[in-house]
Amino acid sequence: MKIQRHLPQPNQALLSQLEQIAKGIGETFAPFCEVVVHDLLDPQHAILSIHNNLSGRQVGSPATELGLARIADPVYPQIIANYDNRFADGRRAKSTSIGIKDEQGRYVAALCLNVDLNMFGTLQNMLTQFCQTGSSAIKETLEPANGETLHDYIDKFAASRGKTPQGLKARERRELLAELKQAGYLEVRKAIDTIARHLGVSRATLYNDAKSALTLP
């Protein structure tokens, strides 16, 4: 939903582009995230558009307290991320608000994201139930010895660099192998096969990555 406003051309163009960004974010994170565009030049009817409506508000609804604070204070923080919030019916939300300024440094709009945490709580409960196993005494391991430990180490190494294991570059893989060797993980039987498979590279590639950093067993 959105409403058309007759604004000065620069502001109209800015809001038009902001609307496209909001639409894209809304489509990407539907149905968990409400995305709202606020026109702060008309605080009494601030909501210009709303995607994935989770709050029950309407286009043309007034600005929130945060919007009014930005209107009153041009040095108010431009980005307020991941703050605790609640919808009108009490559902927990995680919100992020981004203020948009014009060429004069005046707040003219805001882009707000409201994530419904209850949806994720329900999903988490479903996943927990799905991952539960029976109480059978049978034990079976589908990975080589200590494979899970190797996976955890690699995952943490990659996450510390903001990547997935498959996204690590050759230099980073060499650093990883050096750490694994120092920690004794390369002594585990079939460790190289396990590591290569988890990194998504061939065994030969992994040996080649490591040549300049260490001597593999």
Side-chain angles (χ1 to χ4, degrees):
M1 299 174 58
K2 64 179 180 179
I3 189 170
Q4 297 295 327
R5 301 273 170 85
H6 298 289
L7 301 171
Q9 188 59 34
N11 290 334
Q12 185 63 58
L14 186 152
L15 286 174
S16 177
Q17 291 302 306
L18 190 60
E19 165 61 20
Q20 293 303 308
I21 294 171
K23 183 178 179 182
I25 295 174
E27 291 179 358
T28 300
F29 294 104
F32 306 109
C33 181
E34 175 184 86
V35 186
V36 186
V37 177
H38 295 268
D39 175 6
L40 298 184
L41 295 181
D42 187 5
Q44 295 303 315
H45 310 90
I47 294 184
L48 184 64
S49 68
I50 185 165
H51 305 269
N52 305 328
N53 194 330
L54 299 174
S55 62
R57 291 174 295 172
Q58 301 296 323
V59 168
S61 293
T64 63
E65 299 91 337
L66 201 157
L68 295 175
R70 284 202 173 104
I71 294 171
D73 184 3
V75 299
Y76 196 85
Q78 193 156 7
I79 298 176
I80 303 177
N82 299 320
Y83 60 92
D84 189 54
N85 210 340
R86 286 194 180 274
F87 294 112
D89 60 5
R91 284 171 297 150
R92 286 191 62 217
K94 181 175 76 169
S95 298
T96 291
S97 178
I98 306 167
I100 308 298
K101 294 183 176 183
D102 62 11
E103 294 179 350
Q104 286 73 44
R106 175 183 58 165
Y107 280 116
V108 296
L111 177 66
C112 297
L113 287 68
N114 303 304
V115 177
D116 187 342
L117 295 181
N118 281 31
M119 287 190 182
F120 284 97
T122 300
L123 181 60
Q124 183 179 30
N125 291 337
M126 291 171 62
L127 288 173
T128 298
Q129 182 176 356
F130 179 77
C131 292
Q132 286 179 345
T133 57
S135 58
S136 171
I138 295 175
K139 300 295 182 182
E140 181 183 31
T141 300
L142 302 178
E143 286 285 342
N146 290 327
E148 185 176 345
T149 302
L150 276 170
H151 289 177
D152 288 344
Y153 194 105
I154 295 169
D155 290 343
K156 290 177 181 177
F157 179 93
S160 70
R161 288 155 176 77
K163 296 183 177 181
T164 64
Q166 295 77 16
L168 294 174
K169 302 298 184 183
R171 176 182 56 78
E172 294 166 323
R173 292 197 297 266
R174 288 195 291 269
E175 293 175 2
L176 170 63
L177 286 167
E179 287 189 16
L180 289 172
K181 183 174 179 65
Q182 184 176 4
Y185 287 112
L186 297 188
E187 306 302 322
V188 175
R189 190 171 72 88
K190 294 187 177 181
I192 294 302
D193 292 335
T194 301
I195 296 167
R197 191 161 50 247
H198 199 56
L199 292 177
V201 299
S202 68
R203 194 173 193 271
T205 296
L206 201 60
Y207 269 111
N208 186 58
D209 288 339
K211 281 181 181 178
S212 62
L214 50 90
T215 301
L216 292 171

